[in-house]
Amino acid sequence: MTILSFTLILLCGAFMAGLLGSLTGLGGGVVIIPLLTLVFHADIRYAIGTALVASIATSSGSASAYVKEGITNIRLGMFLEIATTTGAVVGALLAVYMPTNVVAIIFGLVLIFSSLMSFRKKVEFTAGKDDSKAAEQLRLNGSYPSAGGIVDYKVHHVPGGYLMMTFAGVMSGLLGIGSGALKVLAMDNIMRIPFKVSTTTSNFMIGVTAAASAVVYLQRGYISPGLCMPVVLGVLAGAFAGSRLLARANVKWLRIVFSVVIGLLALQMIYNGVTGKL
Amino acid sequence: MKQVLSKYFRDKDVQQLIGKQLRIGVIVSSIIVFIGGVIYLVRHGHEQPSYADFTGVREGLTSLPGIWQGVMENKGMNIIQLGIVLLIATPIIRIAFSVIAFLVEKDFLYVGITLLVLGIILFSMLGGIAG
């Protein structure tokens, strides 16, 4: 296979990844690593560098739309970015000492967790009595516009959420993914903020978190222009097409199919990691 | 009430600016990546790709001066890498913008928090942890 055909096939693959990632809300970066390692037989270190760049692209691209609508809680995002960027730097440091097959196994486990998360029944938490003092002092409580007027909400359990975000950052730095599922988990289940706000704020944070470790990976030579070029252009075009289709598509079945595919890819990654093929 | 409203609108302006900056960053870097990609494919499209063994990318693609030197020589790979660097810089520039935005709002707590985030990223970039 020549570089030309390799690039064109990868471009199509990345387009599909971006399209499905944005339709199902799982993000485009999550499929890039199995796509590159299992289908294109690239070394996992190149795959990690490429996926990081892809998640910066999709996060910045879609965050611009959400920020405009005023749903993103910028203060909450900024405060939690202290946790995620610290974690990302630690993750990028760990990656040097971690054997690649162990990275593949951890990646597989996070992937399975992410796909299970997308099936989770969404229960909206209503503001409880346990108002967090820290949230008050850090001015994290916010409001967002909805059809029925401005909705106020409060942020809970700030230390727990911060800890979970640090973990999400480590995973992001180690595996080269946005780890959006972990971020949403921290904000929904621990900090109890509305879904609309947690999803968009998580997306807003992914780019910054990924950039913190991408600057390390760039210097280590993980970020290869030959791979990044088709992947970034493909994922961006796919995510854009996905956001256009989203209003019309019935995503329920799509999400199930995509999650099953991701689950199988994850098992394959774990298998290859255990047998030392990655 | 008037105060609350004016605060809401100022926040809104800042958010609009940040949204615009993110979009411009993504668009400009994709255009540069695309241009570099065309040059790279025209020159090297017939060669064989080799990503199976990790050797790290070639010299000149891992630092800003090296990337820029290759861009001056019209190397496709370096032009792509320039676009990638710009893409990585987009959220970092967004942080720098936010510092100014919080400063305008006189929210000094968040000026501090945002500077801390910026500091962590700069440490990651310049702290020699790439090994």
Side-chain angles (χ1 to χ4, degrees):
Chain A
M1 187 163 37
T2 64
I3 285 180
L4 182 64
S5 46
F6 178 86
T7 304
L8 291 178
I9 297 169
L10 188 52
L11 187 71
C12 295
F15 179 84
M16 288 309 291
L19 183 71
L20 291 173
S22 89
L23 283 179
T24 57
L26 276 159
V30 104
V31 217
I32 293 301
I33 292 181
L35 180 72
L36 282 173
T37 52
L38 301 175
V39 182
F40 290 90
H41 301 291
D43 186 279
I44 194 166
R45 281 162 285 197
Y46 286 129
I48 288 173
T50 312
L52 259 183
V53 174
S55 56
I56 295 176
T58 47
S59 151
S60 302
S62 55
S64 71
Y66 295 134
V67 169
K68 235 176 81 189
E69 286 166 27
I71 307 170
T72 309
N73 185 335
I74 293 193
R75 279 194 176 76
L76 180 65
M78 197 62 77
F79 171 68
L80 292 174
E81 272 165 11
I82 303 175
T84 59
T85 49
T86 316
V89 174
V90 172
L93 269 174
L94 275 178
V96 189
Y97 303 103
M98 188 111 28
T100 53
N101 66 322
V102 177
V103 174
I105 294 169
I106 298 175
F107 179 81
L109 294 175
V110 172
L111 210 52
I112 289 176
F113 167 76
S114 303
S115 72
L116 288 178
M117 273 283 289
S118 72
F119 285 115
R120 183 186 53 130
K121 205 170 174 199
K122 296 195 167 180
V123 187
E124 188 86 77
F125 293 103
T126 44
K129 277 181 193 149
D130 55 337
D131 290 351
S132 163
K133 258 213 173 103
E136 199 83 40
Q137 280 163 352
L138 289 161
R139 271 173 277 163
L140 299 179
N141 300 325
S143 59
Y144 66 93
S146 77
I150 306 249
V151 181
D152 289 305
Y153 60 89
K154 289 206 151 108
V155 178
H156 304 269
H157 308 295
V158 174
Y162 187 92
L163 218 71
M164 186 74 198
M165 280 293 171
T166 311
F167 178 68
V170 173
M171 287 299 130
S172 169
L174 182 66
L175 308 173
I177 54 173
S179 58
L182 285 169
K183 290 192 172 88
V184 170
L185 185 73
M187 285 194 269
D188 280 358
N189 288 23
I190 301 177
M191 309 186 90
R192 308 205 164 171
I193 62 175
F195 301 125
K196 266 195 156 173
V197 181
S198 67
T199 317
T200 54
T201 306
S202 143
N203 203 344
F204 184 66
M205 296 168 60
I206 285 173
V208 176
T209 312
S213 46
V215 291
V216 177
Y217 284 126
L218 180 79
Q219 296 174 50
R220 274 193 204 140
Y222 282 39
I223 295 178
S224 165
L227 292 175
C228 286
M229 180 255 295
V231 167
V232 164
L233 296 177
V235 163
L236 271 176
F240 181 74
S243 67
R244 284 289 152 104
L245 278 175
L246 196 54
R248 275 174 287 167
N250 178 6
V251 293
K252 196 186 151 215
W253 279 101
L254 196 64
R255 182 172 296 157
I256 294 174
V257 172
F258 192 55
S259 296
V260 169
V261 171
I262 283 188
L264 291 174
L265 287 173
L267 289 177
Q268 180 82 38
M269 293 287 291
I270 294 173
Y271 175 77
N272 284 11
V274 170
T275 55
K277 272 191 245 168
L278 271 175
Chain B
M1 187 65 205
K2 205 179 157 194
Q3 241 178 344
V4 173
L5 269 180
S6 80
K7 187 185 173 299
Y8 177 77
F9 281 114
R10 247 187 315 169
D11 264 5
K12 198 108 191 166
D13 288 343
V14 169
Q15 302 196 357
Q16 300 263 357
L17 182 74
I18 291 173
K20 202 176 270 179
Q21 178 258 324
L22 286 173
R23 195 154 359 110
I24 292 171
V26 171
I27 293 171
V28 172
S29 45
S30 334
I31 293 171
I32 297 176
V33 167
F34 181 78
I35 294 170
V38 172
I39 296 174
Y40 166 68
L41 286 180
V42 167
R43 289 197 191 139
H44 301 281
H46 57 278
E47 293 167 19
Q48 301 295 313
S50 59
Y51 297 106
D53 295 310
F54 184 77
T55 52
V57 294
R58 72 165 162 78
E59 213 165 317
L61 291 173
T62 55
S63 68
L64 278 183
I67 293 170
W68 187 247
Q69 197 188 339
V71 170
M72 290 289 115
E73 292 159 16
N74 277 326
K75 286 185 178 158
M77 271 208 173
N78 290 65
I79 297 173
I80 297 173
Q81 202 76 332
L82 179 72
I84 301 294
V85 167
L86 195 66
L87 192 62
I88 297 173
T90 299
I92 304 176
I93 296 169
R94 194 267 281 171
I95 299 281
F97 262 116
S98 302
V99 176
I100 301 168
F102 285 126
L103 210 57
V104 169
E105 285 180 32
K106 296 207 169 64
D107 187 342
F108 298 113
L109 174 65
Y110 274 85
V111 172
I113 287 175
T114 312
L115 281 175
L116 185 58
V117 174
L118 199 59
I120 295 167
I121 295 175
L122 286 180
F123 166 75
S124 176
M125 207 186 304
L126 309 166
I129 59 173

